Amino acid sequence: MPGKLKVKIVAGRHLPVMDRASDLTDAFVEVKFGNTTFKTDVYPKSLNPQWNSEWFKFEVDDEELQDEPLQITVLDHDTYSANDAIGKVYIDIDPLLYSEAATVISGWFPIYDTIHGIRGEINVVVKVDLFNDLNRFRQSSCGVKFFCTTSIPKCYRAVIIHGFVEELVVNEDPEYQWIDRIRTPRASNEARQRLISLMSGELQRKIGLKVLEMRGNAVVGYLQCFDLEGESGLVVRAIGTACTLDKLSNTSAFLPACNSPSKEMKEIPFNEDPNPNTYSSGPSTPLKNQTYSFSPSKSYSRQSSSSDTDLSLTPKTGMGSGSAGKEGGPFKTLLRQQTQSALEQREFPFFTLTTFPPGFLVHVGGVVSARSVKLLDRIHNPDEPETRDAWWAEIRQEIKSHAKALGCHAVVGYSESTSICEEVCILSASGTAAVLNPRFLQDGTMEGCLEQRIEEASPPGCGFCHIPYDELNMPFPAHLTYCYNCRKQKVPDVLFTTIDLPVEAIVVGKGCLIQARLCRLKKKAQAEANATSISNLLPFMEYEVHTQLMNKLKLRGMNALFGLRIQITVGENMLMGLASATGVYLAALPTPGGIQIAGKTPNDATYDQHISHMQKKINDTIAKNKELYEINPPELPEEIIGSPIPEPRQRSRLLRSQSESSDEVTELDLSHGKKDAFVLEIDDTDAMEDVHSLLTDVPPPSGFYSCNTEIMPGINNWTPEIQMFTAVRVSRLSTINPTNQTLNKNFNDLCENLLKSLYFKLRSMVPCCLCHVNFTVALPEDELVQIAVTAVAITYDKNQALQANKAPTEKSQQRASTDNEEQLQFPLELCSDPLSSQPFSPAKEVLEGASSHTGIPAAQRDRCNSWIELIKLKAQTIRRGSIKTTTSLEKASPLAEGYLRHRSVPSCTNSTVSVVKMTPLSFLPGAKITKYLGIINMFFIRETTSLREEGGVSGFLHAFIAEVFAMVRAHVAALGGNAVVSYIMKQCVFMENPNKNQAQCLINVSGDAVIFVRESELEMLPVQPSTAAPQPTSSAGDVTT
Amino acid sequence: MSSDLDVFVGNTTLIDEEVYRLWLDGHSVAEAVARRLRGGVLEREGTSVAVLQSDTRDHYRTFQMLERLLHAPPRLLQQLLFQIPPERQALLVQRYYAFDEALARELLGKKLSKGTKKELDEVSARTGVGIRSCRRQFDNFKRVFKAVEELRGPLAENIQQLFLLDYAAIVFFANSRFETGKRRLQFLSFADFAACAQSMMGHWSQGALGEPPDPRAPEAAEPDGDLPKSFLQDLKELKVLVADKDLLDQHKSLVCSALRGKISVYNELEANFKALSRALVNVGGKLTHARDVRDFFVDLVEKVIEPCRSDKWSPGDLRLFLTHYTAARHQALWERYMAAITACLLRMYHD
């Protein structure tokens, strides 16, 4: 009995009227955890009941604590008939299980019903007493921290980055069970919500176990996804990067459980020749990995061998468990023999991170991706080895070999996704092949790295652009030049990656969102025929998406793509491809050539005229874009850049003429001359359309920029105003005789209109930038296309932007902590006090104090104090300045907005709702994240049988998304947080049946709950470092108590 | 290519003030789009009609969802569904409960009944306020009236807490049923009446005394919309001022000596003093009877304002007179009574 869960039901408010006669409700609450249920008394005749219950105590295993959600049901008591359910609240208590996160969950939660939506609110207090039995932690994985953020979280330091962890669990979907025919939609929805919650908990616990096995203490870049496979089941899968993290202000806690430095790790041979054998098989057979499975698959995967020791203890609800052990028979052959290198010891040297500590990324090879078409089969045969696990293992293996072919031993910015239509499933994986600094992957060498990285061979700012592969033995033809920055190493002419722009990268001008959009008609077919036709289409789609991206990049005068995400969606009668990336001009890479159009019939005069007209338009566009994105690279004398590479053969119309595996987007194979224009040959009407469509992309209106990376290259002066939003559109693409061309145009218009609409909506925020623009495409039905966009608009200061542009090398990625330093230096320099006359960085001080394990010397503490005074002074003036704008109503909110350290049991009357910010980014501009409270991972279903009455499909979905936001905010606020970072809407499945007046929607969201402090409120902070630093042993958990 | 479904949801709810106004004015989505087009938004933002339609629909949906909450403004502050900055929330409430003065003037003192609601078509035609907006405003009046009907404590504060201060006047009038529709009173605007109501509540109501009402006192049980009975009863004592000839003469000589040479209409004042004084005192004495209460404003206009106006008193003259008229007697009750009367008269004394 390693844990005691305590729950108190305080009160409810704004409950719905359940008794029509009295216009009141007799409400009571059921509190359920595992198989134990408690009930409160009935609070009669009130819409605002005050239960003030006792503490309900559940004595449970910590394993159960990890898997199970706390389920709170509000009911209306009825003497004569069955009690009516008002709604439920599911609370994930995982954040209470690690000591550094939240200590109490307390607040108002929306009471949610899958049919009626939010119906009032309930005030709940939840606590967990964990018995500190460390041995027990081995059975469960309490204590392993999870982060959605795809970088090292702000207030932590990476001691070791261990690498890839993955897991999946499978179950039958309750929606498809026989019992669903006799139960109500509500019961079915709730069964589904509960099951997914349970499966997520289990999955997280199992991943946690793997992390502990690797001797890590955290998972960063945790991405959990659901595959709704329909009748063949429900798959919950997750990937992440195991790390050993160290809290910055607190070194003693959370060192790896075992600090044995005995692991033997050797230098990785950077210039290891790519194995030609493993590679050559790839390109020569384009469909090599678009295999599809004919063998029946099963829903219940086999039990794994080693790690899942708990399974014997808890045979739960018939749930199958995904296999962890790749050691299990069928994959032994796939496994490489253990090699010496640190990375190759790992089965998959993959990292889900997109941003890295400085010095971590040595070279970047390019994008690697793999797709595979599979047939889902409903036959459950537990002995059949073919499982979802095997499918993914296959794909990962392929990714690994592609990376190797690029001379890289690792894949960063790695992600996986699926697209399912009926029984066909496309599995996709992509990432960026890279060479990493091995020292980050070993024990306790982080500090060393920080110091030594300067002497690292590759100069900062361009090193990552240098090719990792051998130029004489290139895996594909590419045009190499000497680096425009250091002139020592070779660089490719174009670089595509899935990661964020590295902090140290030198960029010219600003970046922009680049999208490639594509539709391909497909015959309706069944099973294998269907899978075959999809497999046949995929390479062409990949190819065209790539061509579009390349053309659009050139049209903007840029030479690199970051954050590339290619999504291929399968529908009944078509495939859609949507690629999004952020284009930038990397100073290290050569200036891209223009685009040259060549006609097929050069003798026709009018045709020539037309061609030259188009050429002019293209040239004008390029010139305009260069101006718009401020791309003015310094001119370089030609002779410096000699090219030892033999000039590749002239390009034909195709970008990639060689028959290369298209599933493997090794984006470097662009064999056109450096200054040579990029030739587009117009040989048919299709090509003409393509050129036209190139020119239809309208740049954002003035004052707007957009990107799909964390931040916009070239802008670094964000103001704290942010607006996160989700927009969803469903459109009918059909024409009477749909052709690829008309579909393409419609799809393109749909995306462009959606963007236009966003710009219009957010016009009041100008100047601003849409960051992390994330498009998701689904094909819910014949001819229906659903596009969901989540992004954040951030305003920036225009005046400062101009200054920043003058020094493009000063990178924009100065995040919360460094920004903070910069600002603080200003008043310090003005100060005449000799002690503080030298610029003094508090953040560094804390770091030093923490890492040296000693208290701060007295002299330094004095300085610290004077620094505190200054901050206080500054904060006061800031506050004074802002008084004018505060209205009477605002008075209550600073408490909520601000630092939530003085939380007590909330008063049930008149409490104002605390503001919770949400952002898909890992940081908040103008603020410092002081604490991570735990992961938010929520799954909701909403259904209606009165669609028209709820305002049609738009009214229904609008309300639902607003409700999801509200529930996320409520959970974060109850954890004591005031923001969600790295927020993502992973799934939005919408189905409607207008004839029956019905609709259903499933939404899955996740993110990291955090506490942030505005820089203007920093006067509260100095108390923390000055007390915490001299006594590094004091737990950081104190902050919120 | 048609968009079947098209939504935009921000973590912070976007409120477009222009669209909100169009919605409040009762325009349909199509009308609102047409008006926005005329406003030149297309040229300014370089966008398309489709974008404008989509945007307008989004806002309308948001407002429809918000309307339920706007019916009880404190719930808007507590609700979790929409994250709206406090100043925006205040704006939403303010605009929602804002009313057209022309409409409010029409409804002042009328019973907020179904019958009155049926007459809104005419009112709409007369005032030029859209019928949908009229109905919404009428419902607002009624909602506020109902909500504070049963509440104790200062009326204005109650309304302020639940809704907005402006409503105090309407509720006060609807409660006391003052006559405001007579031809004689047409020159008075809604703002005049609102100011009068505020002074009357401010000086006369129970809550105005600055001390918490004694729970044992009978008026503690009364809603604040009614003027306290004991106070009105006490006002009867003031009648002695005009009934007793000595007192009246004494009062006159005090006021006249103070004003001699300072006021341009001294002769007229001397001649009319007794009539004016009688009118001023009797207005208060009649307040105990509900039927006479109705005539409060009619009496003030007929017996004070109109005579002064015909004698060409300037507002300054009236102010001086009332100041000294009040100051000539030292009695808490008298001062409390005259404070509101003075404020009302000065506000009403215009063309």
Side-chain angles (χ1 to χ4, degrees), chain A residues 13-14 108 110 118 121 723-733 746 749-750 757-758 760-761 763 784 887 889-890 910 913 915-918 953-955 957-959 961-963 965-966 969 990, chain B residues 1-14 16 18 36 41 45-48 50-52 54-59 61-62 65 74-83 86-87 89-90:
Chain A
R13 67 182 183 196
H14 312 320
W108 287 101
I118 290 178
E121 289 127 35
Q723 167 70 289
M724 189 282 295
F725 60 85
T726 291
V728 181
R729 269 188 194 189
V730 176
S731 256
R732 208 164 281 281
L733 279 189
N746 286 347
D749 288 350
L750 183 59
S757 172
L758 299 180
F760 181 71
K761 289 236 176 245
R763 65 193 183 283
L784 278 188
T887 66
L889 279 165
E890 227 175 349
N910 266 339
V913 179
V915 173
V916 175
K917 299 217 169 199
M918 292 167 74
V953 285
S954 296
L957 194 64
H958 192 142
I961 294 174
E963 283 170 348
F965 285 1
R969 288 192 303 255
F990 178 77
Chain B
M1 189 181 63
S2 61
S3 279
D4 300 347
L5 184 159
D6 179 6
V7 297
F8 175 99
V9 189
N11 182 38
T12 304
T13 306
L14 283 183
D16 186 303
E18 187 197 355
R36 293 181 82 185
V41 72
E45 304 292 336
T47 191
S48 69
V51 165
L52 207 59
S54 142
D55 181 64
T56 311
R57 274 194 215 106
D58 260 326
H59 284 301
R61 266 199 307 274
T62 308
M65 285 189 260
R75 264 198 77 173
L76 184 68
L77 304 186
Q78 280 189 340
Q79 55 85 31
L80 305 176
L81 189 56
F82 297 100
Q83 183 157 278
E87 68 276 7
Q89 284 183 347

Side-chain angles (χ1 to χ4, degrees), chain A residues 758-1022:
Chain A
L758 299 180
Y759 295 135
F760 181 71
K761 289 236 176 245
L762 300 161
R763 65 193 183 283
S764 65
M765 292 183 75
V766 161
C768 97
C769 178
L770 300 190
C771 294
H772 213 286
V773 179
N774 186 9
F775 275 65
T776 325
V777 181
L779 294 161
E781 263 176 71
D782 276 16
E783 291 150 3
L784 278 188
V785 179
Q786 175 196 313
I787 302 183
V789 188
T790 297
V792 62
I794 313 181
T795 53
Y796 62 90
D797 192 326
K798 211 167 193 171
N799 301 326
Q800 282 177 42
L802 292 172
Q803 289 170 8
N805 282 342
K806 285 174 195 160
T809 43
E810 276 200 57
K811 271 316 301 149
S812 47
Q813 261 144 322
Q814 281 161 343
R815 299 279 166 77
S817 61
T818 43
D819 281 346
N820 168 18
E821 272 177 46
E822 267 182 0
Q823 290 210 352
L824 290 172
Q825 279 173 12
F826 175 64
L828 288 167
E829 280 159 6
L830 286 180
C831 182
S832 57
D833 179 6
L835 266 179
S836 53
S837 59
Q838 58 203 106
F840 170 77
S841 137
K844 266 182 213 148
E845 188 60 55
V846 174
L847 206 145
E848 281 167 24
S851 57
S852 62
H853 287 262
T854 58
I856 296 174
Q860 278 187 353
R861 228 172 327 186
D862 283 346
R863 280 205 297 185
C864 213
N865 285 337
S866 64
W867 169 74
I868 291 165
E869 291 303 319
L870 272 163
I871 298 198
K872 277 186 183 157
L873 213 76
K874 196 183 167 212
Q876 273 161 7
T877 53
I878 286 167
R879 264 184 305 176
R880 223 173 289 137
S882 65
I883 278 169
K884 269 180 264 170
T885 57
T886 53
T887 66
S888 59
L889 279 165
E890 227 175 349
K891 273 176 200 157
S893 72
L895 182 134
E897 277 261 22
Y899 199 47
L900 293 170
R901 45 187 284 159
H902 303 295
R903 294 175 65 243
S904 53
V905 177
S907 60
C908 312
T909 56
N910 266 339
S911 61
T912 325
V913 179
S914 50
V915 173
V916 175
K917 299 217 169 199
M918 292 167 74
T919 173
L921 309 180
S922 65
F923 69 103
L924 288 144
K928 189 179 161 83
I929 293 173
T930 54
K931 192 167 176 180
Y932 283 79
L933 299 164
I935 199 168
I936 296 282
N937 187 11
M938 298 169 95
F939 176 83
F940 298 104
I941 302 176
R942 181 85 153 78
E943 190 167 343
T944 183
T945 50
S946 51
L947 187 58
R948 274 187 296 275
E949 294 77 359
E950 293 191 37
V953 285
S954 296
F956 171 71
L957 194 64
H958 192 142
F960 185 36
I961 294 174
E963 283 170 348
V964 169
F965 285 1
M967 288 184 278
V968 169
R969 288 192 303 255
H971 276 78
V972 172
L975 285 168
N978 55 5
V980 188
V981 296
S982 300
Y983 169 82
I984 175 173
M985 186 167 85
K986 290 177 292 191
Q987 216 138 24
C988 176
V989 184
F990 178 77
M991 289 158 286
E992 60 165 318
N993 188 341
N995 299 329
K996 285 188 175 169
N997 204 20
Q998 289 175 343
Q1000 192 193 36
C1001 187
L1002 295 81
I1003 288 183
N1004 178 213
V1005 298
S1006 65
D1008 294 325
V1010 300
I1011 299 177
F1012 74 87
V1013 184
R1014 280 185 194 292
E1015 274 157 17
S1016 53
E1017 284 164 13
L1018 267 176
E1019 92 268 26
M1020 296 186 82
L1021 252 191

Side-chain angles (χ1 to χ4, degrees), chain A residues 388-446:
Chain A
R388 309 293 183 278
D389 259 330
W391 294 349
W392 286 113
E394 215 174 82
I395 285 196
R396 288 170 193 146
Q397 206 58 47
E398 195 160 324
I399 289 276
K400 189 178 171 184
S401 67
H402 291 337
K404 206 163 172 49
L406 285 171
C408 297
H409 56 234
V411 176
V412 294
Y414 179 74
S415 67
E416 296 176 346
S417 63
T418 57
S419 172
I420 297 171
C421 178
E422 303 288 321
E423 68 227 312
V424 174
C425 174
I426 303 181
L427 282 68
S428 311
S430 73
T432 304
V435 174
L436 306 179
N437 187 333
R439 271 176 287 221
F440 284 85
L441 309 166
Q442 296 165 11
D443 283 355
T445 47
M446 183 71 178

Side-chain angles (χ1 to χ4, degrees), chain A residues 68-90:
Chain A
E68 292 271 348
L70 175 66
Q71 186 180 321
I72 292 166
T73 313
V74 186
L75 298 112
D76 177 48
H77 176 75
D78 203 326
T79 322
Y80 304 108
S81 59
N83 298 327
D84 294 323
I86 295 172
K88 288 185 188 242
V89 180
Y90 292 96

